[in-house]
Amino acid sequence: MGTIDTIWLREMKRFVRARSRIVGNLSMPFVWLVIMGFGLSSSFTLPGVPFSYLEFFAPGIIGMTLLFTSIFAGISVIWEKQFGFLKEILVAPASRTAIAVGKMAGSVTVAMINGLLLFAIALLMGALPLAGLSAAGVAAALVCMALISAFFVSVGLILASRLDNMEGFQMIMSFLVMPTFFLSGAFFPLATAPGWMQALAFVNPLRYGVDGLRGSLLGVAELPLVVDLAVLAGAAVAATLVAGYAFRKIRL
Amino acid sequence: MAAIAVQSLSKSYQGVQAVDGVSFEIREGELFGLLGPNGAGKTTTISMLATLVRPTAGTAQVNGHELRDQDAVRRSIGIVFQDPSLDGDLTGRENLDFHARLYRLPRAAREARIAEVLRLVRLEDKASMLVKTYSGGMKRRLEIARGLIHRPAVLFLDEPTLGLDPQTRRNIWEYIKALNRKEKVTVILTTHYMEEADALCDRIAIIDQGKIVALDTPAKLKAVLGKDSISVEVADPAKLAKVLAKEKWTLSLAGGRLAIGTSEGAKAIPRLMRLAAKAKIPILSVDLKRPTLEDVFIHYTGHAIRDERADGRELMRQGQRLWRR
């Protein structure tokens, strides 16, 4: 330990200190949930889905919150490169792997807190049926959330280890983050989507995340929960290994 | 054992020789300066010794450890980078605490040591403030304190006063001298400020285009240029020259003044005054000029240290630095 909890502790301190950022992190998914959720709920019923659009949408928004906060937490290493703090960390007699693990653990924790807060908001709003929740379902949802976070934190870290500044940030938003979100099945069932979209969604880990959240929280999903969790776990482990490797190779 | 021993260390980037076979030794407890213009290879040299950059050729031992023994070297050194490297969203104390944990100081020792280094740089009162509210000088002091927490044998300071105002700069000098004395830590600093090298360092290596062109104490470096020069304003310089002819001074007449060359100008002036008074020659004014490190630098490199223009990238960096501090 030592190194890992030191890095983790710093992430926590920064997170707690930036209270306005917590509100900022949650404001967008909240607005989406309220406006899109309630708005579309009153005008659409989804084919083959036995619950309201709002209920269908809520797990997607939890996935979105995790996607955004995870990728940004990972990519924040670029700032650390720029404002020099990364040097202070990398010159220490500590293992790079431990540093990367600490960073990932901190970022996953932050993303999970955000995800759980949104989960709570969704429950309070009645966007998720409280009555339908089971202990096993919630446990499965938590595992799902942790795996989604681990995967996207790793993606953020990989990007950060390759980039030296935030110039490419808009590109990452437009061509990576938003498509990942839109093609995750958060908005609409993928089963009835065009074939090319299904093909893209097939390789989108968030799709399995959102589906897994639906399966565990609503009891209805496109894929069996086991499949969702297995795919997510595989993707998360692979991404974590690549991120660890990329982080070890960072040159200042 | 030398604190640092360097043998023919070289580093080239894409064919450009940043550091070109430098060799030197730094004694334990010494305050050693690497003096040279921007781009001379100072930072690259330090980065290699701090294991952040791998040398292309050559070897070095830091506190007795070979560079490839990375963790042993890293445990032996503290470093203050040229650009700020603090977390502005943490307090001063939290920045130090992070460092202490990262260097695995036992919990019991941590707080006492943090208090100790805070006292050394007089930041006790500000320790609970967020670092982003600190002034440039305070940030530098905090970084120096941080570099000392784990009791390194060697402290690297890369341009420790860059971008600071003259008053703050002098202040930082005092802290550097104090820590060198109190903490008994060997200090190696880079600078392109002549007066900084002169005021602080026991010995100086002048580095230019990746090579060390001279290495000695500031006094001896200046002595190479020879003498102090006293210029005397007097009604009849020739008459005064005759009176002083017996002294071991070189005398020359120029522009209605008498120029005296001597190894110890400060001591020569009272003697000169006495001899002139005895001979009843009224002296109107006296001017003493001593060789500066600037002269030494020009002597060895053929150009002034501030000759080079900052290129675009360097200007941007300086701008950024000002903005950050």
Side-chain angles (χ1 to χ4, degrees):
Chain A
M1 291 300 276
T3 306
I4 299 175
D5 54 13
T6 301
I7 307 271
W8 181 85
L9 186 66
R10 167 170 173 258
E11 298 292 329
M12 290 308 106
K13 279 185 184 159
R14 289 175 61 88
F15 175 69
V16 172
R17 197 140 296 160
R19 281 185 209 93
S20 59
R21 208 182 309 153
I22 304 173
V23 176
N25 281 340
L26 293 178
S27 59
M28 185 161 70
F30 178 72
V31 168
W32 278 79
L33 186 60
V34 170
I35 297 181
M36 299 294 274
F38 281 110
L40 293 175
S41 245
S42 55
S43 31
F44 293 107
T45 44
L46 296 161
V49 174
F51 30 77
S52 76
Y53 185 82
L54 185 63
E55 287 166 330
F56 172 84
F57 192 45
I61 283 295
I62 295 176
M64 171 197 178
T65 309
L66 294 171
L67 165 72
F68 279 55
T69 44
S70 301
I71 238 174
F72 297 154
I75 228 169
S76 70
V77 168
I78 294 182
W79 291 119
E80 283 168 14
K81 265 189 199 175
Q82 281 195 326
F83 77 81
F85 197 73
L86 194 60
K87 267 191 191 169
E88 144 79 359
I89 300 176
L90 295 187
V91 79
S95 115
R96 283 268 181 118
T97 308
I99 293 168
V101 170
K103 180 77 197 173
M104 285 188 222
S107 303
V108 167
T109 311
V110 168
M112 284 292 281
I113 293 172
N114 278 302
L116 287 171
L117 284 173
L118 206 87
F119 184 28
I121 291 172
L123 282 175
L124 289 174
M125 276 172 55
L128 280 171
L130 194 57
L133 291 182
S134 66
V138 172
L142 288 179
V143 173
C144 229
M145 289 168 70
L147 291 172
I148 296 171
S149 305
F151 179 81
F152 287 107
V153 162
S154 301
V155 170
L157 266 184
I158 294 164
L159 290 170
S161 62
R162 296 281 140 201
L163 302 172
D164 287 328
N165 54 54
M166 284 294 199
E167 271 167 32
F169 188 70
Q170 205 52 49
M171 298 274 281
I172 292 169
M173 277 304 287
S174 306
F175 291 106
L176 187 76
V177 180
M178 293 318 282
T180 301
F181 173 43
F182 290 136
L183 293 173
S184 66
F187 281 105
F188 45 83
L190 287 160
T192 48
W196 63 268
M197 213 180 263
Q198 290 198 24
L200 282 174
F202 183 74
V203 294
N204 179 2
L206 190 59
R207 180 261 168 111
Y208 301 91
V210 169
D211 198 60
L213 284 173
R214 268 190 202 124
S216 48
L217 296 175
L218 301 171
V220 179
E222 290 174 3
L223 302 165
L225 188 57
V226 182
V227 174
D228 286 328
L229 289 177
V231 173
L232 270 180
V237 168
T240 305
L241 291 176
V242 175
Y245 175 80
F247 194 82
R248 280 201 300 280
K249 294 286 162 207
I250 289 183
R251 284 262 157 263
L252 290 170
Chain B
M1 184 185 68
I4 292 182
V6 179
Q7 302 92 25
S8 322
L9 206 59
S10 297
K11 177 71 191 179
S12 58
Y13 291 104
Q14 284 131 31
V16 179
Q17 200 75 25
V19 174
D20 193 358
V22 301
S23 303
F24 57 90
E25 276 198 9
I26 302 176
R27 292 188 279 269
E28 262 178 63
E30 198 167 15
L31 222 164
F32 188 89
L34 280 174
L35 174 69
N38 293 332
K42 304 182 303 263
T43 299
T44 309
T45 304
I46 281 208
S47 299
M48 285 191 281
L49 295 177
T51 73
L52 285 173
V53 166
R54 201 163 294 165
T56 325
T59 53
Q61 299 79 42
V62 177
N63 197 29
H65 306 291
E66 289 289 338
L67 288 185
R68 66 172 172 278
D69 194 356
Q70 206 180 57
D71 273 2
V73 171
R74 289 178 171 200
R75 269 190 292 273
S76 306
I77 63 168
I79 182 162
V80 175
F81 299 102
Q82 188 165 340
D83 299 313
S85 63
L86 293 163
D87 186 342
D89 289 328
L90 297 184
T91 66
R93 188 185 307 280
E94 284 169 340
N95 266 284
L96 299 183
D97 184 64
F98 177 84
H99 184 94
R101 287 167 187 265
L102 207 53
Y103 283 73
R104 290 164 188 269
L105 247 70
R107 181 194 295 265
R110 225 150 48 205
E111 256 177 64
R113 183 58 179 160
I114 288 172
E116 202 174 353
V117 293
L118 278 171
R119 212 174 310 123
L120 186 70
V121 296
R122 304 234 167 91
L123 280 174
E124 308 101 305
D125 301 345
K126 313 281 183 192
S128 303
M129 286 167 58
L130 291 187
V131 165
K132 62 183 165 199
T133 66
Y134 278 27
S135 70
M138 282 159 67
K139 285 183 185 167
R140 269 282 115 141
R141 273 147 61 194
L142 186 67
E143 287 182 305
I144 291 173
R146 182 177 68 181
L148 288 169
I149 287 184
H150 54 288
R151 299 184 191 279
V154 180
L155 181 66
F156 293 96
L157 302 171
D158 195 1
E159 299 276 5
T161 65
L162 195 67
L164 300 179
D165 61 80
Q167 165 100 48
T168 312
R169 174 172 300 159
R170 267 161 217 288
N171 228 321
I172 298 279
W173 291 355
E174 290 313 311
Y175 290 115
I176 295 174
K177 277 186 196 161
L179 69 92
N180 175 241
R181 197 174 56 238
K182 285 189 198 154
E183 297 270 324
K184 298 185 175 50
V185 58
T186 307
V187 177
I188 168 166
L189 66 87
T190 74
T191 182
H192 65 279
Y193 298 120
M194 297 292 173
E195 64 282 14
E196 181 160 296
D198 207 353
L200 273 179
C201 300
D202 299 326
R203 285 192 307 151
I204 297 169
I206 295 180
I207 181 164
D208 190 42
Q209 294 175 3
K211 289 191 166 114
I212 290 182
V213 293
L215 193 167
D216 217 323
T217 63
K220 281 189 185 151
L221 282 172
K222 284 181 281 192
V224 170
L225 294 190
K227 304 178 168 182
D228 294 351
S229 148
I230 306 168
S231 171
V232 189
E233 188 183 359
V234 61
D236 188 351
K239 190 171 165 199
L240 181 62
K242 248 177 243 159
V243 174
L244 303 178
K246 274 187 210 148
E247 300 298 317
K248 285 186 209 148
W249 299 339
T250 56
L251 304 171
S252 54
L253 300 171
R257 297 173 78 105
L258 176 66
I260 304 171
T262 166
S263 52
E264 284 187 282
K267 285 187 185 157
I269 290 176
R271 176 147 187 85
L272 156 74
M273 300 305 285
R274 249 193 332 272
L275 291 171
K278 217 192 245 170
K280 298 206 165 34
I281 302 172
I283 288 178
L284 302 174
S285 77
V286 175
D287 189 23
L288 173 63
K289 271 219 178 81
R290 309 178 121 153
T292 63
L293 272 181
E294 184 90 43
D295 302 324
V296 177
F297 190 85
I298 293 169
H299 172 78
Y300 280 110
T301 66
H303 60 87
I305 197 160
R306 290 180 225 279
D307 254 5
E308 28 71 57
R309 284 211 179 82
D311 58 20
R313 205 176 149 162
E314 181 61 25
L315 280 175
M316 214 169 69
R317 199 159 167 215
Q318 278 167 5
Q320 240 181 10
R321 202 176 285 132
L322 284 175
W323 178 75
R324 278 195 201 130
R325 278 177 186 278

